[in-house]
Amino acid sequence: MEQVEQVDAPHFRYTAQMANRIEARWQDFWAKNGTFHAPNPVGPLADTRHPRYGAPKRFVLDMFPYPSGAGLHVGHPLGFIGTDVYARFERMAGYNVLHTMGFDAFGLPAEQYAVQTGTHPRTTTEENIIRYREQLRMLGLAHDPRRSVATTDVAYYRWTQWIFLQIFNSWYDPSENRARPISELEAQLAHLPADERRKIVDSRRLAYVSEAPVNWCPGLGTVLANEEVTSDGRSERGNFPVFKRSLKQWMMRITAYSDRLIDDLDTLDWPEAIKLMQRNWIGRSRGAYIDFSGIRVFTTRPDTVFGATYMVLAPEHEAVDRLVPDEWPADIPRIWTGGHATPREAVAAYREFAAGKSEVERQADAKEKTGVFIGAYAVNPANEARIPIFIADYVLAGYGTGAIMAVPGQDERDWEFAEVYELPIVRTVEPPSSFEGKAYLGEGPAINSGFLDGLHVAAAKEQIISWLEEHGHGEGAVTYRLRDWLFSRQRYWGEPFPIVYDEHGHAHSVPDSMLPVELPDVADFSPKTFAIDDADSEPETPLSRAKEWVEVTLDLGDGPKVYHRETNVMPQWAGSCWYQLRYLDPTNEENFVDPENERYWVGQTPQAVSGGVDLYVGGVEHAVLHLLYARFWHKVLFDLGHVSSFEPYHRLYNQGYIQAYAYRDSRGVVVPAEEVVEEQPGIYVWNGEKVSREYGKMGKSLKNVVTPDEMCERYGADTFRVYEMSMGPLDVSRPWDTRAVVGAQRFLQRVWRAVVDEETGEVTVADEPAPVEVKRLLHKVIAGVREDLAELRFNTAVSKLIELTNALTKLDTSPREIVEPLVLMLAPVAPHISEELWQKLGHGESLAYVDFPVADPAYLVEESVTYPVQVNGKVRARVEVAASADEAAIRAAALGAVSISDPKKVIVVPGRLVSIVN
RNA sequence: GCGGGAGUGGCGGAAUUGGCAGACGCGCAAGACUUAGGAUCUUGUGCCUUCGGGCGUGGGGGUUCAAGUCCCCCCUCCCGCACCA
């Protein structure tokens, strides 16, 4: 980026060079003086002399970034700047504000880079963090640097491991609906033999090892959580195929918290869209289990049981083999058998067919129902009808009981299947005539349903559930879509499990005193990967090759013995499940957070009954991953008495994305966006050649990256901050437009000029009183800006400040009584220039703790009001009326202005307008 | 398919929740200062107009003295979920 000093610009103009000098100076000042250190109630970060010690608090949090090698582009800091503006504002408004930044630094990219180059992931990670810190410092973010942590710090992941052990050493007690220490379960089972007790205890832990169908990704050489697999069956990272297969893995019993994770959403100040996504992800369905000849099905529509004319089991359902007879029953339709000689052959063939389908094919085929009769029948408990049992892949093994009663009359999928396999269709809800020839899912009176006839859906459900329970045919039930969280990864760059195995293969926790379990150095960081479609490959963890680390002699209370360490590592989500708590007490070696500090910063309050962070800003992409996992961990910590809040993040706000235009030439090759010029509206040219424009993410591949470094150099950090905050509402995505940044610069230049003579550098403010109309504007702006900043409406706050500045520009000299509040109001958005001007105005202290201006109500009322006068809905005149005038006077003035003496109707809206119907 | 959100000048976006549509900024135009302008400043800028005014918030209808805002129908785009019984 060329940076030509503007030789002829006035010496004291607010140019990029001037901005950069000011910014460097104040960044040094803040760092040196610890300006943004937030005092804790107790511990090493307590400071009783701090102006905000013991004041009401605000914990303002960003979703911490992964420090990638590519560095930041202008899209990344949007949320960081937003929280910074809010944090600075709240600090000036009297709050003790905790605002800092950490790094989510475990993860795949550093590991993959390590595999390629041999550089240790820690080296790469630390370099990237340094680079990130530089970039963030340049933006003037008011962080408390003492509280910054990286998830890869040994001193940090020691506590991640400790929390894991809390989870491992607890169980969910359904009768109390909370997690309890495992020792309490052991005590309850004290009468049992040790072996049996261990078995039960291990089966109840919240973190447990299980042999279960998991997502195995040979291309990455690791297993993945459901949340990390895309809907077309590929890995979110790398886009490799993922296969379901049974492997022994660590799981977290998040399903125990399904109800609380749904119900507690009501206590949170989150966007409804995110709450909805979490509710859908957990997927609670209320209905009933019904037993059909010993096969249990789940249904949300037990009221339709009289219409169940067949059953369908998932192809993998465990009852199938038991049920399949040797021969086909007599007189069945040909299509039921799939042309196979025996049911056993038909089942085997169908299973092979279904298993061979990829996730993509399964979805593409969703509308064409396939299946096969297994040769057996069940009895519908409601009407004792004999109904055939099918297997079909439209019934999923992983949901409900893996078996359904098929009610084609009231279910579209069952209807389609019934049509293909010529199965009877019995309607049990009276459909409107428009539903001729298709299933009806709606409301209506029951028909063909025996004792339910005439009842509407809700009443019929209730009736049939009590009938089922009375007769032992089933019970009311709730099921969930959420599965337990697959928690182990076959990677290197993650937290080691604090778990060892004895000679029987039993898992033991490493005692707290032996934490942290440090990652060993290894020569080869790569998990063993395979051909991307090699579904039968076996995972091999990098840590398993560190033989001398794996084998360890410990005394776990029964003398020294040899144990083998767990060689999986935790998923990247682990560190982000609790980092905000460590910010509160980053150096505590006795505890992951001191309880008093925890209560002060994130405890429950009347305004936030859940407790938790006061404002959490980040992208929507974490709607179900990080935010669900973190809530789960937090609830476990709450149940075990380690935290006083039952939710980690009370208020959530999703910032939008900054996107950018990209350009391609006639061959479709991306050209550097920076070099494209718009010759005419809609005509874009690069190197003399016409190019086409598209719109998308900022990134290397689209050659449209703009970095904050570049913007700071060309305009200064304050201008960059003002621009990002004024582009639009924080939660809306918008296109980046470097051309438009100059508007923010001009604004700051005007503010500067209002205080400083560009030629001489003299401060030029006047101490005489300001004109009353400017004072009115000032107080209107103060009231507006306060409200806007508190509501995160930064774009309108900036526009109000510009208005005030423009009014100031029109005066010959700037009155101090306007300039000083303007500078203070500008400070959250453009802190460096504001500090500089504040100092030039004669103040010795940083303005970071100066009270934010408060509007004087006396100036908020106008002396006179100009009323638009509408006649039949059109504005025909304006009248100026004293603010104190009553309705009659306003009405008289309005009628006079439009010369109407006998109107049909007159509506006077005081303070707004007059509307006349003539 | 189901669920959620959004459509306002050439562009980004405002509009105290039913009360003067287009604040503020970019761009554009004219002017000032300049050797110069991709710097800065000033003024103007929704569209049409016979200069009276008319038309305008995705389209169509409605309620109202008054609709971007409320109601009904339709269109488009974005996001999430996707055979979840």
Side-chain angles (χ1 to χ4, degrees):
Chain A
M1 187 53 44
E2 84 279 34
Q3 192 183 17
V4 184
E5 183 93 20
Q6 289 164 6
V7 280
D8 56 341
H11 197 242
F12 294 95
R13 172 166 290 174
Y14 183 73
T15 57
Q17 293 74 39
M18 173 76 86
N20 286 335
R21 282 194 291 271
I22 292 170
E23 284 158 11
R25 185 163 159 244
W26 284 99
Q27 283 158 17
D28 286 346
F29 176 93
W30 296 328
K32 206 173 296 160
N33 291 279
T35 306
F36 304 115
H37 291 186
N40 270 356
V42 297
L45 302 191
D47 175 5
T48 52
R49 289 161 312 170
H50 191 283
R52 293 289 187 271
Y53 179 81
K57 61 86 190 181
R58 282 278 190 271
F59 185 3
V60 181
L61 181 68
D62 294 283
M63 288 186 187
F64 64 165
Y66 175 79
S68 93
L72 297 170
H73 64 60
V74 291
H76 295 117
L78 183 66
F80 302 162
I81 294 171
T83 53
D84 194 58
V85 173
Y86 181 73
R88 285 175 177 272
F89 166 67
E90 292 287 71
R91 186 178 295 107
M92 292 174 77
Y95 289 96
N96 184 16
V97 176
L98 198 165
H99 189 218
T100 189
M101 182 65 75
F103 299 93
D104 189 16
F106 276 126
L108 211 47
E111 184 176 299
Q112 286 176 334
Y113 186 75
V115 171
Q116 285 160 22
T117 64
T119 316
H120 196 286
R122 180 167 296 284
T123 311
T124 318
T125 302
E126 283 171 0
E127 282 169 6
N128 290 346
I129 288 176
I130 288 170
R131 168 97 186 95
Y132 264 61
R133 287 218 164 98
E134 278 168 9
Q135 283 191 305
L136 295 172
R137 178 188 152 102
M138 201 165 55
L139 297 173
L141 301 174
H143 292 154
D144 182 344
R146 304 168 305 169
R147 297 173 183 270
S148 182
V149 297
T151 53
T152 47
D153 296 341
V154 178
Y156 178 87
Y157 74 68
R158 171 208 198 291
W159 292 107
T160 308
Q161 292 173 336
W162 180 84
I163 295 171
F164 172 84
L165 289 180
Q166 297 301 307
I167 300 170
F168 175 71
N169 286 316
S170 59
W171 59 293
Y172 204 82
D173 182 347
S175 66
E176 296 193 13
N177 204 18
R178 67 180 178 95
R180 296 173 59 187
I182 205 80
S183 55
E184 295 177 15
L185 180 62
E186 280 166 340
Q188 283 181 17
L189 303 172
H191 56 283
L192 294 176
D195 265 11
E196 207 171 316
R197 187 169 65 229
R198 160 177 283 279
K199 227 180 197 163
I200 295 175
V201 165
D202 282 351
S203 75
R204 300 288 293 273
R205 292 179 188 274
L206 285 182
Y208 62 98
V209 178
S210 114
E211 170 97 29
V214 296
N215 307 299
W216 167 239
C217 180
L220 289 173
T222 185
V223 297
L224 297 169
N226 288 342
E227 290 81 354
E228 294 169 308
V229 180
T230 61
S231 59
D232 58 347
R234 289 175 162 264
S235 59
E236 202 161 62
R237 278 193 179 275
N239 202 33
F240 297 118
V242 171
F243 300 88
K244 276 279 178 212
R245 57 172 297 204
S246 211
L247 288 170
K248 212 170 174 188
Q249 296 291 329
W250 281 93
M251 307 291 286
M252 289 248 172
R253 208 178 300 280
I254 189 171
T255 51
Y257 285 82
S258 296
D259 281 322
R260 285 165 64 188
L261 288 169
I262 288 182
D263 296 338
D264 289 346
L265 287 171
D266 296 338
T267 67
L268 298 179
D269 183 4
W270 283 21
E272 273 311 312
I274 304 293
K275 291 189 182 181
L276 198 70
M277 282 163 76
Q278 292 221 342
R279 284 191 199 105
N280 290 343
W281 188 265
I282 298 165
R284 177 162 64 190
S285 299
R286 296 175 195 283
Y289 291 128
I290 305 179
D291 295 319
F292 283 68
S293 312
I295 306 166
R296 179 156 267 220
V297 304
F298 175 74
T299 176
T300 55
R301 291 293 302 276
D303 60 302
T304 65
V305 64
F306 284 89
T309 53
Y310 61 98
M311 281 184 83
V312 185
L313 310 189
E316 312 91 309
H317 194 284
E318 45 83 24
V320 173
D321 291 322
R322 178 158 51 76
L323 293 168
V324 178
D326 292 332
E327 300 195 2
W328 291 116
D331 303 327
I332 55 168
R334 257 199 65 87
I335 188 166
W336 287 15
T337 65
H340 293 279
T342 66
R344 214 165 289 282
E345 274 175 42
V347 165
Y350 186 76
R351 279 180 170 165
E352 195 175 335
F353 160 79
K357 271 197 205 178
S358 74
E359 207 54 41
V360 184
E361 289 166 331
R362 253 176 60 88
Q363 283 183 31
D365 297 348
K367 283 288 157 194
E368 293 157 37
K369 294 285 174 290
T370 60
V372 74
F373 181 46
I374 67 166
Y377 293 84
V379 173
N380 182 333
N383 56 15
E384 312 217 321
R386 182 166 169 265
I387 59 175
I389 305 172
F390 285 74
I391 54 173
D393 66 354
Y394 83 93
V395 171
L396 309 175
Y399 184 76
T401 61
I404 63 158
M405 64 175 199
V407 188
Q410 274 74 228
D411 185 284
E412 285 166 352
R413 298 152 302 183
D414 296 345
W415 181 287
E416 286 164 16
F417 192 85
E419 288 205 311
V420 175
Y421 292 94
E422 299 161 16
L423 289 152
I425 295 170
V426 177
R427 293 191 184 273
T428 60
V429 179
E430 183 78 64
S433 55
S434 59
F435 281 82
E436 191 64 46
K438 54 183 173 180
Y440 176 63
L441 284 67
E443 224 355 282
I447 54 172
N448 304 321
S449 295
F451 60 91
L452 298 178
D453 279 355
L455 293 175
H456 282 256
V457 173
K461 278 185 185 172
E462 215 172 290
Q463 224 13 245
I464 191 71
I465 288 172
S466 17
W467 183 88
L468 289 167
E469 287 174 355
E470 239 168 72
H471 293 81
H473 291 312
E475 56 193 313
V478 180
T479 62
Y480 304 87
R481 208 188 77 123
L482 184 70
R483 301 278 77 112
D484 275 344
W485 175 18
L486 174 66
F487 195 72
S488 39
R489 299 291 185 276
Q490 292 73 51
R491 290 187 191 153
Y492 173 74
W493 193 226
E495 298 89 346
F497 282 75
I499 291 286
V500 293
Y501 296 93
D502 63 23
E503 72 272 26
H504 308 294
H506 296 137
H508 299 264
S509 39
V510 172
D512 288 356
S513 61
M514 296 183 196
L515 296 183
V517 175
E518 284 199 56
L519 259 180
D521 274 330
V522 295
D524 178 7
F525 305 112
S526 51
K528 193 165 174 191
T529 59
F530 304 87
I532 58 166
D533 54 355
D534 184 2
D536 296 326
S537 44
E538 282 295 326
E540 182 189 305
T541 60
L543 292 186
S544 65
R545 291 178 223 130
K547 296 277 184 255
E548 64 287 8
W549 178 82
V550 171
E551 204 164 283
V552 59
T553 304
L554 298 175
D555 183 350
L556 298 182
D558 52 358
K561 281 203 222 163
V562 175
Y563 295 89
H564 284 82
R565 293 192 188 276
E566 170 63 58
T567 64
N568 282 290
V569 296
M570 300 186 201
Q572 194 182 353
W573 310 107
S576 59
C577 276
W578 73 285
Y579 70 109
Q580 77 281 353
L581 294 170
R582 194 60 180 170
Y583 287 167
L584 307 181
D585 207 356
T587 56
N588 195 328
E589 290 182 11
E590 306 301 312
N591 207 333
F592 73 113
V593 58
D594 178 274
E596 200 173 334
N597 290 329
E598 189 273 336
R599 269 198 306 279
Y600 173 72
W601 287 111
V602 290
Q604 298 181 24
T605 66
Q607 296 78 37
V609 290
S610 68
V613 170
D614 297 289
L615 176 66
Y616 193 27
V617 175
V620 277
E621 70 271 22
H622 293 115
V624 283
L625 293 159
H626 157 61
L627 287 172
L628 199 62
Y629 299 147
R631 291 181 65 214
F632 161 55
W633 274 39
H634 199 90
K635 285 181 183 304
V636 178
L637 291 172
F638 172 75
D639 286 353
L640 299 177
H642 297 305
V643 293
S644 65
S645 50
F646 61 82
E647 284 285 341
Y649 314 115
H650 183 255
R651 181 181 182 196
L652 176 72
Y653 193 92
N654 293 117
Q655 96 267 9
Y657 294 96
I658 290 183
Q659 299 189 289
Y661 293 109
Y663 304 85
R664 287 177 198 275
D665 65 16
S666 52
R667 291 161 303 161
V669 178
V670 178
V671 305
E674 207 192 351
E675 297 164 17
V676 173
V677 287
E678 185 173 11
E679 288 209 334
Q680 292 161 44
I683 307 290
Y684 303 95
V685 173
W686 177 72
N687 258 353
E689 189 195 349
K690 214 179 133 189
V691 292
S692 63
R693 187 169 83 160
E694 62 188 81
Y695 183 54
K697 274 188 174 169
M698 206 172 258
K700 255 191 226 160
S701 57
L702 286 177
K703 293 191 182 167
N704 59 357
V705 174
V706 181
T707 65
D709 313 48
E710 201 176 324
M711 288 300 108
C712 287
E713 194 178 319
R714 271 171 75 178
Y715 299 100
D718 282 333
T719 292
F720 175 64
R721 290 172 60 115
V722 169
Y723 175 64
E724 288 226 337
M725 291 299 97
S726 65
M727 291 165 82
L730 192 62
D731 58 351
V732 173
S733 295
R734 72 296 297 268
W736 178 261
D737 181 10
T738 298
R739 271 194 322 185
V741 179
V742 71
Q745 188 181 37
R746 285 180 194 147
F747 161 51
L748 294 183
Q749 281 176 337
R750 286 200 294 279
V751 176
W752 179 263
R753 205 156 39 234
V755 180
V756 179
D757 186 309
E758 288 192 335
E759 304 293 340
T760 66
E762 299 276 299
V763 173
T764 56
V765 294
D767 289 319
E768 286 78 56
V772 70
E773 65 278 7
V774 181
K775 284 200 79 168
R776 284 226 175 79
L777 178 62
L778 169 69
H779 287 276
K780 209 177 97 189
V781 167
I782 291 173
V785 166
R786 257 189 179 270
E787 217 180 283
D788 285 347
L789 293 182
E791 298 300 318
L792 312 180
R793 291 190 303 250
F794 304 127
N795 54 330
T796 51
V798 169
S799 83
K800 288 178 175 97
L801 294 174
I802 294 174
E803 264 184 276
L804 179 61
T805 305
N806 290 351
L808 203 54
T809 306
K810 292 192 173 65
L811 303 178
D812 292 334
T813 52
S814 309
R816 180 177 288 272
E817 61 175 340
I818 307 294
V819 166
E820 292 205 339
L822 171 63
V823 167
L824 292 175
M825 286 191 285
L826 181 63
V829 190
H832 313 85
I833 186 176
S834 301
E835 289 272 23
E836 186 77 10
L837 291 176
W838 188 246
Q839 191 177 63
K840 283 186 183 299
L841 287 164
H843 301 279
E845 295 280 302
S846 159
L847 51 59
Y849 292 87
V850 173
D851 289 342
F852 200 86
V854 180
D856 180 348
Y859 287 97
L860 293 177
V861 290
E862 305 278 342
E863 273 170 0
S864 64
V865 184
T866 302
Y867 283 89
V869 182
Q870 292 182 351
V871 179
N872 297 335
K874 304 261 179 240
V875 179
R876 292 298 177 208
R878 287 169 197 283
V879 288
E880 182 147 333
V881 180
S884 57
D886 62 7
E887 269 193 47
I890 299 167
R891 176 194 165 103
L895 288 175
V898 291
S899 315
I900 293 172
S901 52
D902 187 26
K904 286 205 189 93
K905 192 174 178 187
V906 179
I907 295 130
V908 177
V909 186
R912 292 255 139 249
L913 52 48
V914 181
S915 185
I916 299 168
V917 188
N918 195 26

